[in-house]
Amino acid sequence: MTADLWSAPLADAPITGVVVVPGSKSATNRALVLSALADGPSRIRRPLHARDTQLMANALRALGAHIDEIETAAGIDWAVTPGELRGPATIDCGLAGTVMRFVPAVAALARGDVSFDGDERARVRPMRATIDALRSLGVDVDDNGAGALPFTVHGSGAVAVEHVVVDASASSQFVSALLLVAAQFENGCIIEHRGPAIPSMPHLAMSVHMLRERGVQVDVDVEDPSNARWTVHAGAIHGLDAVIEPDLSNAAPFMAAAMVTRGRVTIPDWPRTTTQPGDRLRGLFTAMGGSVELSSVGCTVTGPSELRGIDVDLRDEGELTPVVAAVCALASTPSRIRGIAHLRGHETDRLAALATEINRIGGRATETDDGLVIEPSHELHGAVMQTYDDHRMATAAAVLGLRIPGVEVVDIATTAKTLPDFDHMWRTLVAGRA
């Protein structure tokens, strides 16, 4: 065994416990951007502290925002004081889609040159829609024609164009990036999507909700997801004292642990209403035979005596796919996951990666045009599972390791992207101490 291999703990009994999940990455990074553009100070309580959010905080600091850490009994809050946006600055995007898509739009409002680059895999993630949208808004972007990282935004300090058309069929982040900054354009902006249906629509609802919380007027017409429109009116983005919800997508592997071991796991502080796509886990795991209860204590999942497969469209909740696919690989009936072709452009080609890794351990997974078909297998066995620098591939492998002896995971540390303490949290839960 080499240093970068992690032996996935095997569950020899039903897993039970309570797992406190840190704050939402999506909400934390949106709150950071809005706070950096606000008309006064903001406080972000219970944010996620992980690689993606640290990259966002560092990017906004580089552009002039002041972001300070405040220790509290519940953890470390962020106090954000807006500053004059300016270059020159160099932004490390890592592998964070929110940083590489949201911050260039912020840089359009800065004075000076802002250069962007990231991890090696980040250079193959789709960026042309962001670059083209900025250019149509009159922003000078130098990408050497690549439509990808690295590139430089030559900010002039203002955006006067008030209408932009973007094809966001590869990622809803292309629209969210513009939504978050458009109130600061001279005349606001009408943002139109033209193309195949946008995936991950709940993330757009999250962006709109967080804008409205800060006093921004946003008109939404998304009845036709292939021809949608958002009108963001010019005006102040108010400072806000905001509490970040737990990251429901990061709850997926812990809930899955109950599902695949006939156990019982509770996630405290699960919101009654939310725009997070992870909330759909409740329905998904119920459909697969589990029992899911939402109470004042939190969300409690009890695993079934027979784990059933599922036929489901996850276009709006694609980030749940790796863990859901892992559960499907352990089910007694076939599964089909549809609507997720866009996952080929995530941290890795998640469809190819999932099919490869499930088959590596003796599973039966096949790629389709827009998803996966997973058949039951009685030949599952241990193996070294690759993670492709993808945090969700790592957590999916951990779920499989609960039932399959001898699963070893390459680079479990990649989970630090959104869940820095995953290894300890996982071992604590499996050992029955959570």
Side-chain angles (χ1 to χ4, degrees), residues 380-416:
L380 297 173
H381 56 78
V384 174
M385 299 190 69
Q386 301 294 322
T387 56
Y388 309 87
D389 299 324
D390 187 332
H391 57 129
R392 300 203 192 277
M393 290 296 299
T395 55
V399 171
L400 290 165
L402 292 173
R403 288 270 304 273
I404 304 168
V407 168
E408 294 183 308
V409 183
V410 174
D411 191 21
I412 195 67
T414 193
T415 54

Side-chain angles (χ1 to χ4, degrees), residues 341-361:
H342 60 284
L343 296 190
R344 293 190 171 95
H346 277 226
E347 281 82 343
T348 186
D349 179 340
R350 282 183 176 162
L351 300 189
L354 284 166
T356 297
E357 298 310 310
I358 290 172
N359 294 338
R360 190 190 301 279
I361 58 169

Side-chain angles (χ1 to χ4, degrees), residues 29 35 40 71 94 136 140 172 175 211 256 259 264 308 326 359 362 420:
N29 276 354
S35 298
E71 291 192 19
S136 70
D140 184 9
S172 65
V175 171
L211 281 162
M259 288 292 295
R264 183 179 176 87
R308 300 191 298 264
N359 294 338

Side-chain angles (χ1 to χ4, degrees), residues 14 38 99 195 250 270 320-321 378:
V99 179
N250 274 343
W270 194 284
L320 306 180
T321 298
H378 300 292

Side-chain angles (χ1 to χ4, degrees), residues 4-355:
D4 64 346
L5 287 183
W6 180 77
S7 295
L10 184 70
D12 56 8
I15 286 177
T16 62
V18 177
V19 180
V20 177
V21 178
S24 163
K25 178 199 75 173
S26 298
T28 298
N29 276 354
R30 283 165 172 78
L32 282 168
V33 170
L34 292 172
S35 298
L37 297 173
D39 59 359
S42 294
R43 177 94 171 241
I44 304 174
R45 300 180 186 271
R46 299 177 63 181
L48 175 67
H49 292 276
R51 188 186 185 214
D52 276 18
T53 58
Q54 292 292 350
L55 286 166
M56 179 64 83
N58 289 340
L60 296 169
R61 287 182 179 117
L63 289 174
H66 302 279
I67 303 175
D68 299 314
E69 295 185 349
I70 300 175
E71 291 192 19
T72 73
I76 298 176
D77 294 347
W78 268 323
V80 184
T81 304
E84 181 182 359
L85 299 175
R86 75 287 183 271
T90 299
I91 307 300
D92 177 10
C93 300
L95 197 50
T98 49
V99 179
M100 67 182 71
R101 277 116 186 209
F102 293 0
V103 182
V106 178
L109 295 168
R111 291 188 180 276
D113 295 346
V114 183
S115 299
F116 293 83
D117 203 354
D119 295 356
E120 182 179 354
R121 288 186 185 272
R123 294 185 173 191
V124 299
R125 295 194 70 175
M127 283 298 302
R128 188 171 296 280
T130 289
I131 292 168
D132 287 350
L134 291 176
R135 285 178 175 149
S136 70
L137 289 168
V139 181
D140 184 9
V141 183
D142 179 10
D143 66 340
N144 291 318
L149 291 168
F151 58 84
T152 299
V153 174
H154 303 287
S156 64
V159 174
V161 178
E162 53 192 272
H163 183 222
V164 61
V165 177
V166 60
D167 180 353
S169 56
S171 174
S172 65
Q173 290 174 349
F174 296 134
V175 171
S176 279
L178 299 171
L179 285 171
L180 294 173
V181 302
Q184 297 295 287
F185 294 175
E186 291 183 3
N187 300 297
C189 194
I190 297 171
I191 304 161
E192 291 191 73
H193 160 70
R194 301 279 178 82
I198 303 178
S200 304
M201 288 294 286
H203 281 126
L204 291 173
M206 178 186 293
S207 297
V208 170
H209 174 72
M210 294 179 73
L211 281 162
R212 288 173 173 166
E213 281 187 317
R214 290 172 177 264
V216 177
Q217 183 180 345
V218 187
D219 304 325
V220 179
D221 180 0
V222 294
E223 187 173 341
D224 179 356
S226 63
N227 185 15
R229 173 191 290 242
W230 297 261
T231 302
V232 183
H233 297 260
I237 299 172
H238 298 319
L240 188 69
D241 190 321
V243 179
I244 303 299
E245 295 176 351
D247 193 314
L248 306 188
S249 295
N250 274 343
F254 305 105
M255 298 168 74
M259 288 292 295
V260 304
T261 68
R262 302 181 184 179
R264 183 179 176 87
V265 171
T266 296
I267 310 296
D269 301 321
W270 194 284
R272 287 284 181 175
T273 60
T274 181
T275 55
Q276 289 191 61
D279 192 46
R280 196 174 177 197
L281 287 165
R282 295 189 293 136
L284 294 172
F285 286 153
T286 299
M288 298 185 79
S291 171
V292 181
E293 179 187 3
L294 185 59
S295 68
S296 59
V297 175
C299 182
T300 300
V301 179
T302 304
S305 56
E306 180 186 2
L307 187 61
R308 300 191 298 264
I310 194 170
D311 186 335
V312 64
D313 187 323
L314 289 183
R315 175 180 299 277
D316 284 340
E317 304 87 11
E319 64 202 52
L320 306 180
T321 298
V323 165
V324 171
V327 177
C328 290
L330 299 170
S332 62
T333 60
S335 296
R336 182 182 182 98
I337 306 175
R338 297 172 282 107
I340 51 173
H342 60 284
L343 296 190
R344 293 190 171 95
H346 277 226
E347 281 82 343
T348 186
D349 179 340
R350 282 183 176 162
L351 300 189
L354 284 166

